[in-house]
Amino acid sequence: MVGTPEKAPLRAELLAARSLLSVEDARAAAAVLTASAMALPELTRARTVAAYVSVGREPGTRALLDALRERGVRVLLPVLLPDNDLDWAVYEGPGGLARAGRGLLEPAGPRLGPAAVLQAQAVLLPGLAVDARGMRLGRGGGSYDRVLARISRAGADPALVVLLYAHEVLERVPEEPHDHPVHAAVTPDVTLRFRASGGGYGD
């Protein structure tokens, strides 16, 4: 799923900007993001959080995954399926991650099925940008479009949170009818809220 023509050049621009970040800058940003995300009420209340393992210069999630797990939160991580949908497995620590296709790291444990995301009170979404309405720009693979559609069909209302760098908060990003706004965006500079969430269902 490539998306609208307007999305492609914006994605390229944002990815190019990320590639210029130094390892030190990315590491420093990840530390601040972890502290800010751990203070979010949506994550403080959550018993199960669906997240992802950051790769490359993505805003870092690895320390956050460990901090959530140490808090006693059940963390679900995605497993990419051949059709680009996502299965899920429980995060058991860094030693439980295995290298997968496209440079990804995935949990090596038992697969729980694509519907396992419905157990989460909060879902951390990867993204390249968010705008003033809470519309998220993803990478264009369509995996999280399926996840969000599954959540919507189930009538669930987890807190949707995206982690970004400060310059990735834009006035407006292109959108399509299937796009879902997030509830909050966390950057090293500020936490932004766009709409209220239930975030209180599931196990």
Side-chain angles (χ1 to χ4, degrees):
M1 185 176 297
V2 175
T4 65
E6 295 85 1
K7 287 184 175 181
L10 181 56
R11 285 191 180 106
E13 179 183 336
L14 291 163
L15 286 169
R18 281 188 178 179
S19 71
L20 297 176
L21 289 170
S22 68
V23 173
E24 294 76 14
D25 287 343
R27 186 179 297 121
V32 178
L33 284 169
T34 296
S36 297
M38 288 297 288
L40 278 177
E42 292 89 344
L43 295 189
T44 301
R45 294 191 300 260
R47 301 179 301 282
T48 297
V49 172
Y52 62 96
V53 184
S54 57
V55 294
R57 291 296 187 271
E58 280 187 308
T61 65
R62 300 194 194 192
L64 176 57
L65 300 179
D66 290 332
L68 287 168
R69 187 165 174 261
E70 288 167 11
R71 184 186 275 176
V73 175
R74 181 171 177 254
V75 178
L76 303 179
L77 294 180
V79 178
L80 186 65
L81 297 173
D83 65 354
N84 272 357
D85 204 349
L86 297 179
D87 201 336
W88 300 87
V90 174
Y91 177 54
E92 300 291 358
L97 296 176
R99 295 205 171 275
R102 305 185 190 180
L104 300 175
L105 287 171
E106 296 179 342
R111 307 305 192 235
L112 304 177
V117 70
L118 301 178
Q119 300 167 12
Q121 290 82 45
V123 180
L124 298 181
L125 302 166
L128 294 174
V130 71
D131 69 16
R133 304 164 299 157
M135 300 306 298
R136 178 187 67 98
L137 179 68
R139 284 181 171 266
S143 297
Y144 279 89
D145 291 331
R146 297 189 185 198
V147 170
L148 294 173
R150 182 169 291 119
I151 289 170
S152 180
R153 285 196 303 270
D157 188 26
L160 304 178
V161 181
V162 61
L163 305 180
L164 298 168
Y165 296 110
H167 67 273
E168 293 170 343
V169 177
L170 308 179
E171 183 176 342
R172 194 173 185 90
V173 300
E175 67 176 285
E176 297 173 84
H178 62 261
D179 289 334
H180 292 256
V182 298
H183 299 99
V186 181
T187 81
D189 292 353
V190 67
T191 295
L192 301 171
R193 295 183 181 281
F194 305 103
R195 61 190 181 103
S197 68
Y201 69 94
D203 299 323

